[in-house]
């Protein structure tokens, strides 16, 4: 081989190694660290639901692969330990929805293995007791979203035999539900919602086997839904703009910290994406360090983000994790 050919070959090999190195460096440069917390004291499960009151997160219902559950557990975020509380008084179920409103927790909807449900219950953490409230105003369903923003609480979307996009607001003083209009997004189940600065952000989920690309902001002061940029990788419409995004998924979890939203995991995934509402931009963060999972639980307590439970296939998890978005990943701290 002459010197010219040797030089070209060497340059090509060097260039290939350079770009491979850059690609690997980019992957290693993702920011964020996952810290393992005290394992959940109850049975491992998926499709549980949660609400947060003060320093405590409450987790209830879910499915073990054999049993639909109704136990209630409180996580003390300051002490990193679990306490069992009074059992949920409805029938055991999975894929229920929940929210916190005025210092009380509310749980309803779901699936008991045979029936789709629409009953609705309030939990009082001071009395450690449950009371049944007016049934949900829409159809019996599961895999809906529940959230409270700006003092207004809602259930919406889900699956009742058809994919849904309706929303109902709950008035705890009157103990009534009201159908609210204005959401023009796609039908879906297994979406996720996070709240930042008194606005709710809804995205992901699935409709007829297709992961949904639209992403929405809800302002409770005006009751207006505003479409934000899509979360897919397609750049052939007015809402999409970045070929690097891979956020679409179903059965994901979410939480918020420091004015930013985080979507974690989902069907077959362990990736993490951070949303900035000021710029309407997403940035990938360090992937979940535990096993990939679906139907997990995510929540925020005092500006700290947690992610736990869920399943992969027929394997159910009871591990719990906290995400530190500003720390470098450390593989040796768990």
């Amino acid at each position: 081989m002459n010197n010219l050919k040797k030089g070209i070959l060497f340059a090509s090999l060097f260039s290939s190694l350079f770009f491979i190195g850059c690609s690997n460096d980019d992957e290693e440069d993702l920011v964020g660290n996952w810290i393992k917390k005290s394992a959940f004291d109850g049975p491992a499960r998926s499709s549980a639901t949660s609400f947060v009151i003060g320093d405590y997160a409450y987790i209830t219902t879910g499915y073990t692969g054999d049993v639909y559950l109704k136990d209630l557990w409180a996580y003390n975020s300051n002490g990193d330990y679990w306490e069992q509380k009074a059992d949920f008084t409805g029938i055991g179920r999975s894929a229920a929805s929940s929210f916190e409103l005025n210092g009380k927790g509310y749980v309803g909807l779901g699936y008991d293995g045979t029936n789709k449900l629409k009953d609705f219950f309030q939990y009082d953490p001071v009395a450690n007791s449950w009371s049944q409230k007016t049934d949900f105003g829409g159809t019996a369903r599961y895999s809906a979203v529940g959230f409270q923003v700006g003092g207004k609480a809602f259930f919406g979307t889900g699956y009742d035999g058809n994919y849904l996009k309706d929303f109902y607001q709950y008035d705890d003083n009157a103990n009534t539900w009201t159908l609210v209009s204005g959401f023009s997004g796609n039908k879906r189940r297994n979406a996720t919602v996070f709240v930042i600065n008194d606005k709710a952000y809804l995205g992901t989920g699935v409709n007829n086997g297709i992961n949904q690309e639209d992403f929405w902001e809800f302002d409770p002061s005006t009751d207006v839904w505003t479409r934000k940029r899509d979360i897919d990788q397609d750049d052939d419409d007015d809402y999409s703009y970045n070929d690097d995004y891979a956020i679409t998924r179903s059965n994901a979890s979410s939480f918020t910290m420091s004015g930013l939203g985080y979507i974690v995991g989902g069907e077959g995934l362990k990736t993490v994406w951070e949303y900035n509402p000021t710029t309407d931009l997403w940035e990938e963060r360090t992937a979940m360090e535990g096993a990939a999972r679906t139907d997990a639980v995510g929540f925020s307590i005092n500006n700290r983000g947690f992610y736990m439970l869920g399943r992969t296939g027929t394997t159910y998890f009871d591990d719990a994790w906290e995400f530190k978005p500003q720390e470098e990943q450390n593989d040796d701290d768990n």
Side-chain angles (χ1 to χ4, degrees), residues 36-291:
K36 203 166 191 179
K37 308 303 288 185
S38 176
F40 180 65
D41 278 10
R45 68 192 67 192
S46 71
S47 303
T49 194
S50 67
F51 52 87
V52 173
I53 302 174
D55 295 331
Y56 290 82
Y58 295 83
I59 293 179
T60 188
T61 67
Y63 183 59
T64 67
D66 297 306
V67 178
Y68 290 91
L69 300 162
K70 53 192 298 181
D71 51 342
L72 173 68
W73 296 85
Y75 176 65
N76 184 311
S77 59
N78 295 321
D80 187 29
Y81 63 86
W82 295 88
E83 301 174 20
Q84 188 166 12
K85 301 294 185 179
D87 282 359
F88 173 66
T89 51
I91 191 170
R93 67 194 65 197
S94 67
S97 302
S98 59
F99 50 72
E100 176 277 335
L101 181 63
N102 295 324
K104 305 290 198 303
Y106 293 85
V107 175
L109 313 183
Y111 179 70
D112 67 3
T114 303
N115 303 300
K116 304 173 187 69
L117 305 168
K118 61 182 298 182
D119 51 351
F120 184 62
F121 299 81
Q122 178 199 77
Y123 176 72
D124 182 340
V126 176
N128 186 30
S129 63
W130 292 89
S131 57
Q132 188 164 4
K133 298 297 181 179
T134 300
D135 281 359
F136 173 62
T139 57
R141 66 188 68 189
Y142 61 86
S143 298
V145 295
F147 63 95
Q148 182 265 115
V149 58
K152 297 180 179 181
F154 302 87
F155 281 165
T157 69
Y159 185 77
D160 69 353
N162 293 299
Y163 294 86
L164 302 165
K165 56 182 288 187
D166 54 345
F167 280 86
Y168 286 78
Q169 181 182 345
Y170 179 68
D171 183 329
D172 59 338
N173 291 317
N175 188 27
T176 57
W177 292 92
T178 303
L179 176 65
V180 293
S181 59
F183 181 66
S184 56
N186 297 333
K187 298 177 180 179
R188 71 195 72 206
R189 62 172 173 79
N190 297 111
T192 193
V193 173
F194 52 82
V195 174
I196 304 173
N197 296 330
D198 286 333
K199 292 183 180 177
Y201 295 85
L202 180 149
T204 71
V206 64
N207 182 333
N208 293 305
I210 299 174
N211 288 334
Q212 298 303 291
E213 303 165 351
D214 52 336
F215 184 66
W216 295 82
E217 175 190 84
F218 175 69
D219 185 341
S221 67
T222 59
D223 290 332
V224 171
W225 289 90
T226 301
R227 187 171 179 176
K228 312 302 284 185
R229 293 188 177 106
D230 285 359
I231 56 174
D232 63 338
Q233 291 179 287
D234 188 5
D235 60 0
D236 63 358
D237 61 56
D238 292 337
Y239 291 99
S240 299
Y241 62 102
N242 192 321
D243 287 341
D244 295 329
Y245 282 11
I247 307 168
T248 53
R249 62 195 65 197
S250 66
N251 305 84
S253 303
S254 61
F255 47 75
T256 59
M257 289 184 285
S258 302
L260 302 171
Y262 296 86
I263 288 180
V264 186
E267 200 73 47
L269 297 169
K270 57 192 296 184
T271 52
V272 178
W273 287 87
E274 176 189 272
Y275 179 70
N276 186 328
T278 302
T279 60
D280 192 22
L281 294 173
W282 296 84
E283 185 170 352
E284 189 171 7
R285 294 302 188 186
T286 302
M288 163 65 181
E289 290 185 29

